[in-house]
Amino acid sequence: MTNPPSQFTPEELQQWQLAIAEADRHNIWCHCRQCDAEWVASTPVNCPDCGSDRVERISCWQFPDD
């Protein structure tokens, strides 16, 4: 099985991957499984409301911009 041709040049692909990695690092949607608080953070942190470490983290770039 072969890969389909890329729509990007190697340089464009690298730039795109770096942009996604940057968004990933700085925009993380967090949801506390203990007290149900929600917030956006740039690093993994415990819940600011209750201090719990039971936090679900999802990169914000995965959400649509509607």
Side-chain angles (χ1 to χ4, degrees), residues 12-35:
E12 290 170 332
L13 181 59
Q14 182 180 20
Q15 289 175 351
W16 178 79
Q17 290 169 330
L18 288 172
I20 294 297
E22 186 74 11
D24 233 359
R25 272 194 304 276
H26 298 293
N27 297 294
I28 302 167
W29 175 80
C30 303
H31 169 251
C32 179
R33 292 182 172 137
Q34 185 151 332
C35 75

Side-chain angles (χ1 to χ4, degrees), residues 4-64:
S6 176
Q7 297 178 5
F8 299 111
T9 66
E11 295 80 18
E12 290 170 332
L13 181 59
Q14 182 180 20
Q15 289 175 351
W16 178 79
Q17 290 169 330
L18 288 172
I20 294 297
E22 186 74 11
D24 233 359
R25 272 194 304 276
H26 298 293
N27 297 294
I28 302 167
W29 175 80
C30 303
H31 169 251
C32 179
R33 292 182 172 137
Q34 185 151 332
C35 75
D36 220 25
E38 296 179 349
W39 68 97
V40 173
S42 60
T43 59
V45 294
N46 288 354
C47 177
D49 289 352
C50 73
S52 174
D53 63 352
R54 295 183 57 228
V55 176
E56 172 185 23
R57 295 175 180 88
I58 300 175
S59 300
C60 289
W61 67 265
Q62 296 181 46
F63 294 98

